[in-house]
Amino acid sequence: MGKTVVFFKETSKETADEMACFGHGENRMSNIISFDERVTPDDDSLVMSNGGTDVLISVLALSGSVIAQTENEKRLMVYLLENDQIRGRGCVGFEIVEMPWTIETFEEDKAFMKKVIGGAKKKTGWEKLDYHPDERLVFHDLRAFEKLIDRMTVDDIKEGASRNWMSEAEENDPVRCGFPRCGKHGIFLTCFGCQICNDT
């Protein structure tokens, strides 16, 4: 199903304003990426529509899957992909502090996430999408996501979050099977398959 609500090949300023209101205004869907569990109306949490969530995760995946090398980096990408709305539309969310950070490699992993965001801003892999993201909206969400990553410090890591996430993975889960990729889009697979294939 195409993204006829949020994304188009050509977008007028008036339409973009209307869609920004739909995805980021007061009457918005409840897909939330927050820094921690303390979510308040005036904090820097990223609140998106279903379409906005789809695209943010997809462009991050296209960028990160190209540059991820270590197991920690690959786990971070799979975690993001698992937290798209494929889990249930309108009720997606995660906390930055609950991402599978590792104390020993935190600074490297945070730098990796910054590179992932930078690659997404450069439209890395966008040609593999079968739609044209509305740049005004997706760049807004990338900037907001980057601010959340910037806040993260090693002291903020939620103890046990990474271990708990991994303990829930089945033996045939991609995070336990060498991090396979989608043959078409090149992004890491999750237990749900390819996020971009599932979204078409």
Side-chain angles (χ1 to χ4, degrees):
M1 184 179 235
K3 294 185 176 57
T4 56
V5 176
V6 179
F7 306 99
F8 346 82
K9 292 185 179 180
E10 296 182 1
T11 308
S12 68
K13 182 180 185 303
E14 292 76 12
T15 305
D17 287 341
E18 180 183 351
M19 293 303 102
C21 180
F22 175 83
H24 303 86
E26 293 303 320
N27 297 317
R28 53 197 177 188
M29 303 298 287
S30 57
N31 295 345
I32 303 174
I33 300 176
S34 61
F35 182 73
D36 55 25
E37 72 276 5
R38 297 185 293 273
V39 180
T40 62
D42 59 349
D43 71 6
D44 55 0
S45 296
L46 176 53
V47 184
M48 298 171 288
S49 66
N50 285 330
T53 306
D54 265 345
V55 176
L56 176 66
I57 298 299
S58 292
V59 298
L60 289 171
L62 288 166
S63 172
S65 296
V66 171
I67 62 175
Q69 297 183 0
T70 69
E71 287 205 3
N72 288 342
E73 292 169 353
K74 294 172 183 178
R75 275 195 290 268
L76 285 165
M77 296 313 305
V78 173
Y79 181 87
L80 289 178
L81 284 160
E82 281 191 5
N83 280 278
D84 184 37
Q85 67 222 30
I86 195 168
R87 286 180 177 270
R89 302 192 74 82
C91 58
V92 182
F94 65 91
E95 300 168 13
I96 299 298
V97 298
E98 286 193 326
M99 291 173 64
W101 304 105
T102 302
I103 292 175
E104 293 76 13
T105 61
F106 172 74
E107 295 301 334
E108 292 86 349
D109 294 341
K110 180 176 179 178
F112 164 74
M113 286 303 305
K114 295 275 289 181
K115 290 179 183 177
V116 171
I117 296 167
K121 288 179 179 178
K122 294 177 181 177
K123 306 182 187 178
T124 300
W126 285 27
E127 70 279 0
K128 296 179 182 179
L129 298 171
D130 63 357
Y131 57 89
H132 296 271
D134 185 309
E135 294 181 20
R136 184 166 177 253
L137 299 185
V138 73
F139 288 164
H140 169 278
D141 290 343
L142 285 168
R143 288 191 297 271
F145 184 67
E146 186 170 24
K147 288 180 180 178
L148 292 170
I149 295 295
D150 284 338
R151 282 182 60 185
M152 187 70 191
T153 70
V154 68
D155 294 331
D156 295 315
I157 294 176
K158 203 160 188 177
E159 187 176 356
S162 178
R163 182 175 60 253
N164 293 340
W165 176 64
M166 285 295 295
S167 70
E168 295 175 357
E170 303 289 340
E171 294 222 352
N172 62 347
D173 192 294
V175 295
R176 296 189 182 278
C177 300
F179 302 97
R181 301 168 184 258
C182 171
K184 179 178 180 180
H185 299 107
I187 67 172
F188 293 112
L189 299 177
T190 74
C191 56
F192 304 110
C194 172
Q195 192 271 340
I196 299 177
C197 287
N198 290 334
D199 191 43
T200 56

